[in-house]
Amino acid sequence: MAGTSPCVMFLKKMIETEQLTATEALMPIATLAHNLKTPTVELIDQIFDLIKSPVVTSNPILKAHGHLVFATIIRKACLTTPVTEVFPEYVFGKMCTPDNPKISQVYIPHLVKELKGAQNTEEQMRAISVLGVLGHESVIPLLLNYIEGNVEGCTPAVRTMAIYCLSDVTKQYRNILLPVYSSIVHNQAEDRAIRIAAAFSLLMKMQPDTVHLQKLAVSTWFEKDVEMHKFIYSSLRSLSQLALEDHPEGSAWKGLSTKAQVVLPLAKPVAGIISSTFFSFFSGVLKNLHVGSQMINAMVTGSTSQMIYHKTEYFLKQVQTTPVEFSIDVGGVKSLVGDLVKSVSGDTASYLEKIHPEWKELVQNLEISPVEDTPFAAHVWTKFSDDIQFVFASNFKTVDSIKEQVLESLKSPGKLLEKVCTKTPININKAFEALPYQAVVPSDLGFPIIVETQETNLVSLKGEVDVNCAAPSVT
């Protein structure tokens, strides 16, 4: 939490020498971009060595978070200008700048190499999310190839991730991305999830002109995808219902809300109250305190998956922060349930063995086969306090691993009871600092004006859980 250079080097040594377990190392790595106080060129090089160390690369979770954090640090410390106004270089030393040659000659080639060497969809999505968070202009053409589906083996999930991961820099590269996203939104041959991702980025990140919203509204009359129709109409309706006085100062929704009110009559209405796909926007202001908040709640029903999204944003006078933002994407639930039922019942017979012989012969003669269910896959992404990100992915391999452990426990219940029916010590101590900021402003009198915000939270839990299986009780 201190975030100074000596503290970072100390943690780096602890992780590389495996004095911290993978679980213990995850938190310092994931919060490094949030806590880092002095991102000098030398310290960034040390962090780069850390994410390439065998201890980090051998663990998929640590590797994913390490690369994600490093990309966030580069974007915050090197690509945000002017750097000299954020970090006092005359006190802490030379900070990273956009013209640092290592960014284009060392860091980006390493991250691109990770993408080129991805062995499966999950690895592709992780590598693409890192490049998107980095947001350097040199990686935009590469990500555009994935967004447009020009790369061999690029799945709809990868293309969708490539769109979402550019959300922080979409406004910066608006002139490049807007034509691409607009063509995807209005191309009904594209996958639903890709179109909704492009439409969401176009609406929320690109400050679209009225003409773009008009095209969206009118397209609902010719839209063949019901869920896409629901998304467009619910978004425009929710934005149009926001009153102008409910927008906090600095909100990008004010102009968007006015435009939505103009174009909403052009859209085809959707019947009903509860929808399987919706985007809802909420905004409020405490006028006397000059503070406000905005929230987005969304649920998207894709062709093979279901996504839930939420974002909360606070406006504290001139300070704007996002305390929490998360997305949960789950697909292939039907195949997961079927697999679990087979494991519990022990029934592995195919459907042909359960039907009448005459039906079986007829099906075989027709040479048809049932449509295969989508394999189970789940992805969770969360962001806390603007720059602390966690990503987790699960697929059928994860389920198989858990299933094997459960079956092994059922075969040997004695070993399970030995682990459960005992005293388990608990010692949890976590400290977290929200909104860490400090500034020194010179005054005409020669005295410094110190501005500091700090909200430190401490969670401490110590004791033990005693489970007595002989006389069932928990203490």
Side-chain angles (χ1 to χ4, degrees):
M1 190 175 72
T4 60
S5 297
C7 292
V8 174
M9 294 303 299
F10 172 74
L11 288 172
K12 176 178 180 290
K13 182 179 179 181
M14 294 280 287
I15 294 171
E16 290 179 338
T17 56
E18 299 187 59
Q19 297 183 50
L20 296 177
T21 64
T23 304
E24 293 171 337
L26 176 61
M27 188 58 69
I29 291 177
T31 58
L32 191 56
H34 180 77
N35 293 324
L36 191 62
K37 298 295 190 297
T38 55
T40 61
V41 175
E42 293 78 10
L43 187 58
I44 290 177
D45 279 339
Q46 293 294 327
I47 297 174
F48 184 61
D49 292 337
L50 172 62
I51 68 170
K52 293 193 303 178
S53 64
V55 176
V56 174
T57 55
S58 61
N59 188 303
I61 295 179
L62 290 182
K63 180 180 178 180
H65 287 84
H67 282 77
L68 199 60
V69 164
F70 182 73
T72 304
I73 292 174
I74 293 296
R75 179 169 56 83
K76 287 180 58 179
C78 305
L79 305 182
T80 301
T81 55
V83 179
T84 53
E85 293 184 6
V86 180
F87 303 104
E89 294 186 345
Y90 60 89
V91 176
F92 296 113
K94 182 67 176 177
M95 298 294 167
C96 186
T97 57
D99 57 357
N100 185 350
K102 284 194 172 183
I103 296 177
S104 57
Q105 297 176 10
V106 180
Y107 302 150
I108 292 179
H110 171 76
L111 300 178
V112 172
K113 183 181 177 181
E114 291 291 328
L115 175 58
K116 299 295 185 181
Q119 300 296 322
N120 51 52
T121 301
E122 281 73 19
E123 291 183 2
Q124 272 189 330
M125 293 174 68
R126 290 171 185 168
I128 283 177
S129 64
V130 170
L131 290 173
V133 169
L134 180 65
H136 193 270
E137 59 182 358
S138 64
V139 305
I140 300 300
L142 175 63
L143 293 180
L144 277 177
N145 285 331
Y146 281 89
I147 292 173
E148 295 175 336
N150 297 329
V151 179
E152 184 179 356
C154 185
T155 64
V158 173
R159 297 178 61 190
T160 304
M161 174 59 72
I163 294 174
Y164 281 129
C165 72
L166 284 172
S167 60
D168 289 336
V169 295
T170 298
K171 184 178 178 181
Q172 181 180 350
Y173 301 108
R174 180 182 185 273
N175 294 335
I176 300 174
L177 299 176
L178 181 58
V180 178
Y181 287 5
S182 181
S183 64
I184 291 176
V185 170
H186 296 288
N187 183 2
Q188 298 195 28
E190 289 283 8
D191 184 84
R192 181 191 302 161
I194 302 174
R195 296 180 65 198
I196 289 180
F200 174 75
S201 297
L202 189 150
L203 276 173
M204 304 311 305
K205 304 294 182 180
M206 293 188 173
Q207 297 181 348
D209 298 326
T210 304
V211 64
H212 295 108
L213 298 184
Q214 286 177 336
K215 289 179 66 176
L216 276 178
V218 174
S219 69
T220 57
W221 292 94
F222 311 97
E223 183 59 59
K224 298 179 181 178
D225 190 330
V226 177
E227 301 300 331
M228 186 68 186
H229 177 199
K230 292 178 181 178
F231 163 78
I232 296 174
Y233 182 76
S234 64
S235 300
L236 293 177
R237 184 182 62 179
S238 182
L239 283 169
S240 66
Q241 291 174 347
L242 298 177
L244 294 179
E245 59 270 16
D246 290 336
H247 293 281
E249 183 180 354
S251 170
W253 293 5
K254 191 171 184 178
L256 190 62
S257 178
T258 304
K259 296 173 185 176
Q261 293 173 2
V262 174
V263 304
L264 182 63
L266 301 176
K268 180 181 178 181
V270 176
I273 300 175
I274 301 176
S275 176
S276 55
T277 296
F278 65 87
F279 264 69
S280 299
F281 303 88
F282 304 92
S283 183
V285 176
L286 297 176
K287 297 181 181 179
N288 294 333
L289 299 178
H290 301 284
V291 298
S293 66
Q294 292 181 335
M295 287 194 301
I296 302 176
N297 294 315
M299 183 174 71
V300 176
T301 301
S303 54
T304 60
S305 63
Q306 198 88 10
M307 186 191 76
I308 298 174
Y309 173 81
H310 172 81
K311 180 180 180 180
T312 298
E313 199 167 13
Y314 290 155
F315 295 81
L316 312 173
K317 294 187 177 179
Q318 296 181 351
V319 178
Q320 184 176 343
T321 180
T322 304
V324 61
E325 184 179 5
F326 67 84
S327 173
I328 302 173
D329 191 357
V330 181
V333 177
K334 183 179 178 181
S335 62
L336 172 63
V337 173
D339 190 35
L340 294 177
V341 170
K342 289 180 180 179
S343 300
V344 174
S345 63
D347 185 9
T348 58
S350 67
Y351 74 100
L352 287 175
E353 299 175 6
K354 300 179 181 180
I355 62 178
H356 193 276
E358 293 183 3
W359 278 107
K360 179 179 179 180
E361 183 180 358
L362 180 61
V363 171
Q364 291 175 341
N365 291 336
L366 289 175
E367 296 182 353
I368 60 176
S369 59
V371 178
E372 294 184 1
D373 292 330
T374 304
F376 171 75
H379 301 88
V380 179
W381 171 83
T382 60
K383 182 166 70 172
F384 301 101
S385 295
D386 297 309
D387 45 23
I388 301 177
Q389 300 185 61
F390 293 94
V391 289
F392 297 99
S394 176
N395 53 26
F396 65 94
K397 294 182 180 179
T398 309
V399 176
D400 290 342
S401 176
I402 296 174
K403 187 169 60 177
E404 289 177 2
Q405 295 178 7
V406 172
L407 292 176
E408 184 178 350
S409 299
L410 293 176
K411 292 178 181 178
S412 304
K415 294 182 179 180
L416 178 62
L417 291 176
E418 289 179 1
K419 297 179 180 180
V420 175
C421 303
T422 184
K423 288 185 179 181
T424 304
I426 299 175
N427 188 9
I428 301 174
N429 296 283
K430 296 293 181 182
F432 176 74
E433 187 179 30
L435 290 174
Y437 178 79
Q438 186 178 31
V440 179
V441 183
S443 66
D444 294 337
L445 297 176
F447 296 104
I449 301 174
I450 300 176
V451 181
E452 183 174 0
T453 63
Q454 185 176 352
E455 181 186 344
T456 304
N457 303 281
L458 175 64
V459 177
S460 181
L461 180 62
K462 188 175 182 180
E464 60 183 21
V465 176
D466 187 5
V467 180
N468 187 355
C469 296
S473 62
V474 178
T475 57

